[in-house]
């Protein structure tokens, strides 16, 4: 079986993993601990939103969807990363690499579109509070989540099909922990501006466009907040939006650094660190950011934990 001029079973080798046993063990334990927290925190958010009736609002619907997407896109990469830390041969087939890249980029793009949907929701709630139930009905929320998933996966699969149709050099060592666009593009022999522009267009649609929508939403929110004369209203609005802005800046900052630049500026060690930040750091921080300053979420998660810890009557 082949894809273009390549065999689907052609193998790539990951070169970023530590070779000595002590760093490997420490890396495995550290990544395992962070991944456990990512899964636990995001599952708690999803269960709390599902079981607590007062959290059945658009804001929490988007938050639960965001947690589900982040569980998905970390699951695409992290189990394989953990297995590679322990294995002596850190290889992946072309088909496996394309599949991993497709779902990682697709779910990561869906994450970006969901953050834009969340910004639009906050804009509607703060700028048009009286019309908010009409502006954000449940059907529109479901459509925005579905559109985020479909757009993210469509952009990703088109990008992956383009990348893996290019000719690769004989040396197939990937200076990274998993298959991502910048390190794989470094293996392409026929480097040209057209190839880089194609990747840049996809990255712009997935990263820059949602960020501009978020910036416009928050500019409008700030204008409304500063026109208000209520100090309590100022605090409530900033409390609601600051956590979302913190996640947005971290996520989009890392993604822009990785994808909105030419492949010639790729620096393996630096980019490996940045990729780990948005692969594990952002999904780890989200449960803390969205719950520590939100009394409703803290109470709902406390109820979930209490129900799971209480002994069941026979």
């Amino acid at each position: 079986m082949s894809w273009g001029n390549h065999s689907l079973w052609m193998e790539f080798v990951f070169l970023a993993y530590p070779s000595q046993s002590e760093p490997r063990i420490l890396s495995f334990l550290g990544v395992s601990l962070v991944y456990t927290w990512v899964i636990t925190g995001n599952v708690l958010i999803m269960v709390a939103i599902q079981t607590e009736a007062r959290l059945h609002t658009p804001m929490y619907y988007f938050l639960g969807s965001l947690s589900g997407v982040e569980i998905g896109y970390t699951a695409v990469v992290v189990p394989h990363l953990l297995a590679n830390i322990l294995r002596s041969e850190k290889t992946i087939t072309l088909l496996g690499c394309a599949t991993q890249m497709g779902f990682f980029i697709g779910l990561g793009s869906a994450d970006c579109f969901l953050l834009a949907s969340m910004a639009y929701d906050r804009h509607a709630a703060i700028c048009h509070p009286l019309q908010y139930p009409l502006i954000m009905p449940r059907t529109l929320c479901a459509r925005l989540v579905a559109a985020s998933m479909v757009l993210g996966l469509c952009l990703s699969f088109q990008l992956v099909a383009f990348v893996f149709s290019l000719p690769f050099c004989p040396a197939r060592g990937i200076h990274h922990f998993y298959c991502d666009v910048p390190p794989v593009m470094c293996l392409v022999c026929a480097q040209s501006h057209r190839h880089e522009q194609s990747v840049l267009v996809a990255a712009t649609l997935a990263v820059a466009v949602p960020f501009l929508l978020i910036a416009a939403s928050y500019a409008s929110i700030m204008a409304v907040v500063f026109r208000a004369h209520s100090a309590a209203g100022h605090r409530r609005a900033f409390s609601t939006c600051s956590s979302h802005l913190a996640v947005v800046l971290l996520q989009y900052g890392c993604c822009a650094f990785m994808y909105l630049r030419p492949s010639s500026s790729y620096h393996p060690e630096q980019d490996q660190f940045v990729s780990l930040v948005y692969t594990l750091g952002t999904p780890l921080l989200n449960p803390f950011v969205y719950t520590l300053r939100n009394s409703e979420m803290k109470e709902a998660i406390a109820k979930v934990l209490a129900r799971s810890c209480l002994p069941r009557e026979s």
Side-chain angles (χ1 to χ4, degrees):
M1 296 177 68
S2 63
W3 181 342
N5 295 322
H6 310 301
S7 167
L8 291 179
W9 312 119
M10 180 180 78
E11 289 189 335
F12 298 100
V13 181
F14 295 109
L15 303 176
Y17 291 91
S19 56
Q20 297 180 346
S21 59
E22 186 174 339
R24 286 168 63 184
I25 294 171
L26 291 175
S27 300
F28 182 84
L29 293 175
V31 173
S32 298
L33 180 63
V34 172
Y35 186 51
T36 301
W37 274 108
V38 168
I39 298 298
T40 303
N42 284 290
V43 167
L44 279 174
I45 287 177
M46 294 173 67
V47 173
I49 291 170
Q50 182 67 31
T51 57
E52 192 69 19
R54 63 176 174 165
L55 300 184
H56 293 175
T57 63
M59 182 176 79
Y60 293 111
Y61 180 79
F62 287 123
L63 178 56
S65 301
L66 184 71
S67 293
V69 168
E70 294 195 331
I71 288 173
Y73 94 78
T74 53
V76 170
V77 168
V78 179
H80 188 257
L81 188 152
L82 289 171
N84 276 339
I85 291 175
L86 300 179
R87 286 192 305 207
S88 57
E89 293 186 1
K90 309 173 197 312
T91 60
I92 189 170
T93 64
L94 182 145
L95 180 60
C97 188
T99 302
Q100 184 182 70
M101 184 190 293
F103 282 103
F104 179 72
I105 298 294
L107 292 173
S109 300
D111 193 285
C112 292
F113 290 124
L114 273 176
L115 289 172
S117 298
M118 292 172 75
Y120 175 70
D121 171 68
R122 292 300 81 209
H123 168 267
I126 294 172
C127 299
H128 307 284
L130 299 180
Q131 294 83 24
Y132 179 62
L134 298 175
I135 296 173
M136 295 297 296
R138 183 173 297 182
T139 53
L140 178 61
C141 297
R143 287 172 183 169
L144 286 173
V145 171
S148 298
M149 293 293 296
V150 171
L151 279 173
L153 290 172
C154 285
L155 283 172
S156 174
F157 291 151
Q158 290 182 40
L159 176 61
V160 168
F162 169 75
V163 169
F164 284 90
S165 67
L166 300 174
F168 290 110
C169 299
R172 299 194 181 104
I174 299 176
H175 290 273
H176 207 53
F177 303 107
Y178 53 86
C179 290
D180 202 358
V181 175
V184 172
M185 284 295 291
C186 289
L187 304 181
V188 173
C189 289
Q191 294 286 356
S192 72
H193 291 299
R194 184 177 65 84
H195 297 152
E196 290 193 357
Q197 286 170 357
S198 300
V199 173
L200 186 61
V201 167
T204 300
L205 291 173
V207 178
V209 171
F211 181 76
L212 290 175
L213 293 174
I214 292 171
S217 296
Y218 277 103
S220 180
I221 289 171
M222 293 302 174
V224 170
V225 167
F226 285 125
R227 282 201 300 267
H229 300 291
S230 167
H234 285 185
R235 285 195 300 271
R236 189 163 55 251
F238 280 116
S239 176
T240 304
C241 298
S242 58
S243 58
H244 183 238
L245 272 175
V247 173
V248 165
L249 292 175
L250 181 62
Q251 177 83 357
Y252 281 91
C254 292
C255 289
F257 177 81
M258 285 295 294
Y259 302 113
L260 296 179
R261 60 183 179 137
S263 58
S264 57
S265 62
Y266 177 71
H267 300 287
E269 292 79 10
Q270 179 179 274
D271 291 10
Q272 289 159 17
F273 173 77
V274 174
S275 68
L276 287 178
V277 170
Y278 69 78
T279 303
L280 287 170
T282 308
L284 175 67
L285 288 177
N286 278 357
F288 294 104
V289 168
Y290 284 116
T291 57
L292 289 179
R293 300 187 62 183
N294 189 317
S295 58
E296 290 181 330
M297 277 301 307
K298 283 192 286 188
E299 291 173 11
I301 289 176
K303 288 182 181 179
V304 171
L305 293 174
R307 283 196 297 268
S308 63
C309 294
L310 286 175
R312 297 180 180 178
E313 296 181 2
S314 56

